[in-house]
Amino acid sequence: MTDTTDGETFRRAADERLQQAYDSPMSLDEYVDRVLTNPIAAASGPRYLLAAIESQGTRTVEERGETLDRYRFFDDPFNDGEHAVLGNTAALNAFVDDLRAAAAGRGNDEKIVWIDGPTATGKSEFKRCLVNGLREFSKTDEGRRYTVEWNVTGTTDTARSLSYGSGGDATAWYRSPVQANPLSVFPTDIRAEIADAVADEAAYPIAADVDLDPFSREAYEHLESTYREEGRRDLFSAVTDRDHLRVTSYVVDVGQGIGVLHAEDDGTPKERLVGSWMSGMLRELDSRGRKNPQAFSYDGVLSQGNGVATIVEDASQHADLLQRLLNVPDENRVKLDKGIGMDVDTQLIVVSNPDLDAELDRHAEKEGADPLKALKRRLTRHEFRYLTDRGLEAALLRREVTGRTGVPGAAVGEETVDTTGGDDRPGDTRSAIGASTDHVREAVRTSVRDDDGRTRQRELAPHAIGAAALYAVVTRLETEDLPADIDLIEKARLYETGELRRDDEVITAEDVSFDGDDGRTGIPVTYTRDVVADLLSEESERSHPELPVERVVTPHDVLDAMVEQLADAPVFSRAEIKEFESRHTAVAERVRERQRTDVVDAALAAETVATETVAEYVEHVYAWDADEPVETDRGQESPDGLVMKVFETETLGRFDENAYRGTEPTEAVVEFRREQVIRALTRYAWRNRGDEFSVDDVELGEIPELQSVLETNDLADLKRRFPELDPGEWADPPADTETARVKADTIDRMVDQGYSRASAELTSRAVMQDIRDEWETLSTDGGEPPEEQDSGGGASATLDGGDR
């Protein structure tokens, strides 16, 4: 686009866009040449759908404790993830496997794909993703989809002889109303020869076993009859001459290659499946005493979906049609009327809520006499479930609340973004979720409009989205399969990151076996979205003399509202409400821990240890354990016991003088160095095996264990640094006091972390209110309260899996 922006610029851009989306009309010969070099040009419906999905490649994801390859197609890459299917990768992969089998003709071409699951599990996004992806794939050179157009000019005196619908022009070109495959023009044996010629180069057979649609057959037979009467010996060449037949590309979309039957669509079974006769046209186009297929509407779902895919939404609303669809995958044919049939090449997909299960089981007690048994045998079921990954749920909720697009973990340019959101720390905030590693934690700021038309700014404070997502996930998890030493919060953690860290113990998803029922029930994202929307539209009664705290929605506002409104939601049973309420406390406590971390880290930010200092300590500890020298400016020297002792006592505050004999460590310090520091280094070396390992190569930020051991701040650190701080005065500290100074610095740093001043004020107040009693019990001599000290005088380290 040029620097000049005007109407002509946009018109030219539109011309270019459309030119890229279509091929120029071509002859039948040219089309066959295209097929011989690119078999996708004549692919079957399942094969074409498979090619579109595979065209976007895959990426690796961790879901429900498994490592899976995920097709990027389902991230809706053409629309910045607007209709991405979040999660459910295993079900999507099974769907692709069905397509692959159907494309190869391995029996699955007789199956009907069934996408099943509760409301708000991504089934609608799945449909939109298919439509978006197929549309864009058909605009590419590789994915062009072709059909035929007819013109009988010069062979008839009847001006309307080839029209369909209302009106027509004898000089016009008329496209096959059901996107007929151009190969269907050839006689059966010639089609087979073309298929054989392609077979050696193609991984899958092309769609050669298809006949002309009834409308095209009418045109073909008219032209053949005319030229036969003229005595032409090259009948096929005459009929398919460029003046009468041309092959054109079309953009796949709903109604043209994709048929979608909605819940509210009505009509007779035949009307819904293939279309209806138009009585006025029948009288006008009556031909040889039979119904003329030019007088058919071809607006049924199979007619629209011929060539690619047919989707039946809310299938329980069209249960009467499902049995009628049985013969379609069997015979690849459907009737318009007696004596008039139509070949159909389409991938059948039915989408339903669990109510279809009940419909299919109506006659289950009849066993062998069950009239729906054949249908159930043909359906291949793929179950969509509620998300059990907090990071994905947070992305979905953010999309529902703000319309923000993108997919966590999907590629951003050449970069692949972390899927977990696990460290819950501020990071690079970009416009799409897929470009952010911090979508779980970060705040949401938006404008809402009052009933009187006024616009107000509102803020969902940091952790509000993550708290709602965690609570929703926790309600979806089963408790019967929990090991005694793992709670629901930890189970959610395993699903999110694949591992759980406790001190020096690492529990992976492979170590724990769950029964697989998670995600079948629970709070749907639509419920959470509505709760959040209500909170954003109502200001709280909070007040502050300087800050607009009434505009802030805190994480606990969201959690409390989610619990309070359960009883008013008709979608939950009494038993579910009671169970969901019981899971609120653990989530609320988890959120308080994260808020405390934010406040304490902000207060102690100036005390953060320089990376160089940490690296020096790590190098000396590693050399000490290996009994090797360290490299210094003065050459190789023995590890410095004083450097390690000062770091452990003054920087970490883990030990005091009683833990050493001079600079020699006691057993407690030795265990700390080997179990907490060396083990992390060893694990890092193992992950990077194959390369020559050196401590100099260690990326400290890549080792969660080291982050937790070396960078974690706690209340003891805070009191040791600021002994005059008084949490009880935090809300309104006296001027020129340590509390006032620390609060001012803390608020400033929290703003740098992504808080507004109002949300930082509310969060820090809440944290300080919570720690008032605990504060008085803390010692200031370098550790936790006395009862938590170990024998060496230092506190035992608690590792939290990188969640801080």
Side-chain angles (χ1 to χ4, degrees), residues 772-785:
R772 287 178 62 180
D773 294 338
E774 187 178 348
W775 184 262
E776 298 304 322
T777 67
L778 292 172
S779 66
T780 60
D781 59 358
E784 296 290 340

Side-chain angles (χ1 to χ4, degrees), residues 459-569:
E459 177 189 1
L460 283 168
H463 300 298
I465 290 289
L470 179 60
Y471 182 50
V473 165
V474 166
T475 67
R476 301 166 184 172
L477 304 180
E478 296 295 322
T479 58
E480 289 79 5
D481 58 359
L482 278 177
D485 59 340
I486 292 181
D487 60 29
L488 285 174
I489 300 293
E490 292 173 320
K491 185 176 186 180
R493 186 72 191 166
L494 277 172
Y495 275 143
E496 184 179 3
T497 67
E499 64 180 25
L500 189 67
R501 295 187 180 91
R502 296 172 174 165
D503 296 327
D504 59 348
E505 180 186 16
V506 178
I507 301 172
T508 68
E510 296 178 354
D511 298 329
V512 183
S513 177
F514 299 131
D515 63 15
D517 284 335
D518 296 313
R520 285 203 168 107
T521 61
I523 290 178
V525 70
T526 47
Y527 172 83
T528 310
R529 175 201 63 199
D530 293 344
V531 168
V532 172
D534 289 343
L535 289 172
L536 289 173
S537 65
E538 301 172 358
E539 287 189 352
S540 70
E541 297 180 356
R542 300 187 187 98
S543 64
H544 188 277
E546 298 174 358
L547 300 173
V549 295
E550 70 280 358
R551 299 179 182 177
V552 177
V553 177
T554 70
H556 296 285
D557 290 338
V558 176
L559 291 176
D560 292 346
M562 289 179 71
V563 173
E564 291 168 1
Q565 296 182 32
L566 286 172
D568 297 328

Side-chain angles (χ1 to χ4, degrees), residues 681-695:
L681 288 168
T682 304
R683 205 175 277 140
Y684 183 90
W686 173 251
R687 293 185 188 128
N688 294 275
R689 60 191 180 278
D691 299 325
E692 184 177 349
F693 177 72
S694 167
V695 176

Side-chain angles (χ1 to χ4, degrees), residues 602 742-753 755 757 760:
V742 173
K743 178 177 181 179
D745 291 341
T746 300
I747 296 295
D748 287 342
R749 292 165 186 152
M750 290 179 70
V751 170
D752 292 339
Q753 292 176 2
Y755 283 84
R757 290 197 171 274

Side-chain angles (χ1 to χ4, degrees), residues 541-701:
E541 297 180 356
R542 300 187 187 98
S543 64
H544 188 277
E546 298 174 358
L547 300 173
V549 295
E550 70 280 358
R551 299 179 182 177
V552 177
V553 177
T554 70
H556 296 285
D557 290 338
V558 176
L559 291 176
D560 292 346
M562 289 179 71
V563 173
E564 291 168 1
Q565 296 182 32
L566 286 172
D568 297 328
V571 294
F572 304 126
S573 67
R574 291 182 180 178
E576 286 177 321
I577 292 172
K578 184 177 180 181
E579 182 62 32
F580 296 165
E581 288 175 342
S582 71
R583 302 186 183 189
H584 166 268
T585 301
V587 176
E589 181 57 33
R590 188 75 183 101
V591 174
R592 290 190 188 94
E593 291 173 8
R594 292 178 176 174
Q595 290 177 315
R596 177 184 292 194
T597 298
D598 282 357
V599 174
V600 174
D601 283 354
L604 291 171
E607 310 303 313
T608 300
V609 182
T611 303
E612 293 78 8
T613 303
V614 178
E616 181 187 29
Y617 169 73
V618 168
E619 183 177 15
H620 280 263
V621 168
Y622 194 86
W624 164 83
D625 182 66
D627 195 20
E628 295 177 352
V630 295
E631 290 288 342
T632 69
D633 295 338
R634 299 179 298 276
Q636 290 188 342
E637 297 183 357
S638 299
D640 193 330
L642 182 60
V643 166
M644 292 181 278
K645 175 181 177 180
V646 170
F647 190 91
E648 290 159 351
T649 57
E650 297 183 9
T651 303
L652 291 180
R654 294 287 176 178
F655 302 97
D656 57 22
E657 286 290 339
N658 296 327
Y660 302 85
R661 292 182 292 274
T663 59
E664 289 297 315
T666 62
E667 186 60 33
V669 179
V670 169
E671 182 180 2
F672 167 78
R673 291 177 183 177
R674 287 180 172 156
E675 294 301 316
Q676 301 295 338
V677 181
I678 298 298
R679 177 172 292 190
L681 288 168
T682 304
R683 205 175 277 140
Y684 183 90
W686 173 251
R687 293 185 188 128
N688 294 275
R689 60 191 180 278
D691 299 325
E692 184 177 349
F693 177 72
S694 167
V695 176
D696 295 334
D697 299 328
V698 174
E699 293 289 344
L700 297 174

Side-chain angles (χ1 to χ4, degrees), residues 163-189:
S163 64
Y164 58 86
S166 56
D169 182 351
T171 63
W173 286 92
Y174 285 92
R175 177 174 293 184
S176 163
V178 294
Q179 307 81 233
N181 184 335
L183 293 183
S184 61
V185 178
F186 285 97
T188 303
D189 55 342

